[in-house]
Amino acid sequence: MFKKTALFCALCVAPLGWAQEESIQDSLQRVATIRFDGQQDGNTYIFGPETPPLQQIAGAPKAYYSYYWEFGDGTYSKEKSPSHIYVSKGEYTVRLWATNHYDTGKPPTALPKKVSIDSTSEHLDDQATMNGDFTLQRNREPMPEDEMVLIMSYKNTRDHTTRGKLYLFYNEQKYKANNFDIIDTRTHHGERQIPSSTFAQTHPKEQYDNTLLASRNDDVSLLRPQPQDSTERINLPVTLEESQAAYRDWDVLEFNGMEPNEERNIFFTLRTTPEMLKDTSAIVSVRGVYIPDSDYDNHKVKDMEMEIVTSHDPNKMSSNGTLMNYRLVRLKTLKYKIKFQNNGEVPARTIRLETDIPDMLDKSTLEIMDMYPKCRICPKKEVIYSCLDTTFTKTQAIFTFKNIYLPGSEQKNVMEYDSTKGFVRYKIKFGKDFHKKKTKSRTAIIFDKNDPILTNYSTTRFLPGISIGIKSGYKLYPNLEQSNSYFMGATISPYKSYRWYWQVEWENDIHTYDAKTTVTDRLVNVGPQGLPQLQRTTTNSSYRNVDWEIPILVRYNVNDHIGIGMGIQGSLSISERRRDDILIETFENETDSFLIDSANSSMEINSSFSNFRSGALFEATLGFARIGPSLGARYVLGSKKDFNHWQFYAIWKL
């Protein structure tokens, strides 16, 4: 008996142990380690990463890691094993982010490490690394429930020491949920975070003779407008108001004592929220505003677009048409971005991008906005210089980089992975006639004569929208006498749906009808001859009701002009007035051969919220099925047979 019990317990416990072991294994995080590969002259460190094995995505190019380092002194590197010189004594915190590409797992985490610099062998002058005076970068694309780093770099291009402000706007208003939380901000030059409600007090624009005075509470007064481009602007209050309207959240930092030609970096760690938009072809953005000198109104604006990913695949297609308002879509221009990376061991000379163009878009409006490698647009004739050629098929646009040099990530002496990446960004308008339906498109990327690499699907979707309809008509009740029923009502449905959609209605019905005449006979007291008399009561009832009906139905647009639907409805008499006309006749005997007396009377009975009825309905419409006017016929099969009826109506959906 003991052996059987022990065996039973073992069989019960074993699966739990296996499940627990599997759960523990699944929950293990992948960890990367910072390695010190060498130290020179006391202030030069060589760093290296130790990363967990990659889990190759089947059918994808070879998996690999890219790296991003912060050295704790306000500088960074994207090399795999960087060598860094510290210019000042002190203790510094080194951080590493390794990003896995073509890998099925999450990016590994790495614990920071500290290095101590006790001596410096020589004084090193800062070397200029920025091409402009304000940039935004990131170490990776945002992935749901993951971390990324945003690098804000700024430079003093003036000939005097400056103080100013920096704004970072994030979490776009157009998305219902927040996409990011800022969990850490790392500054290295005394930048001070100030309340986000603070706005810059501005003064006349530097080196201009017009006057521009503005603050958070002052009116904007611009005596002579100046031209502005997408990055350098002069009307700071307008920029801040526009940014507030586009983004829910922002951080403001103030800096001081910035020397001429000095460059600085600020590092933000952003964590994507669980509620983040999960569409992996969607583009989200953040905005940076750089006010280089608080005494003047000059400022720079940078918008950085990012593609939401579920895995870090450098070959990707994305769009700003994730969710669109169909009513306003003709005012919108779709923007697409195709990203690619050469993962080979040799440079690519020709890159061909075969991109699907949905039917709803007009290929003739396609316009190239930007590209990398940077090159000219190809002319009609053959040329020997680098250029980008665009051709079309019935369903595709084909972008071809010709005579270029894009190094491969596995190529010898290629240290910077970003140099192996390229992109094409283009915009395109909608055609004249298209339906409200989701579209999918993707790109086949062909490096030289290699097999094509397929990107993700980029999807466009439309918000349901709301369409209000007004309807009126007549109801025919075949089983009721003297029936007259007129109604008016309203409908709610998604705006201009393509095929299937729901519809909810409310109808107010004025209904008059007569009930069937009722006759009852009964014998009453005995007459003079000792025989019983017959009393006959005839009742005629008429009704005048105000009924409310709530139909709920599913509809299907067969085409632009014919629609069908079916559903259920409930009906309730909000007000019912019944009039009974009563005739009482008395006959001499039960053979009703001789009338001896008659009397007429009437009475009214009023009630409310009574006479509930339910039913199933079936209908068809003819006209403008999706939006506009149409005519319809509906049959309602009610729970009370006498109230089965036809409904004939006109409707106009707005």
Side-chain angles (χ1 to χ4, degrees), residues 441-458:
S441 57
R442 63 179 177 180
T443 300
I445 304 171
I446 305 169
F447 295 93
D448 294 322
K449 296 182 179 180
N450 295 310
D451 293 334
I453 299 172
L454 297 178
T455 68
N456 62 298
Y457 280 104
S458 177

Side-chain angles (χ1 to χ4, degrees), residues 41 126 223 271 331 426 461 507 541 558 562 600:
D41 300 328
D126 292 338
L223 299 185
R271 176 178 292 148
L331 304 176
Y426 65 93
R461 298 181 178 88
E507 295 176 2
S541 297
V558 178
I562 299 175
N600 288 293

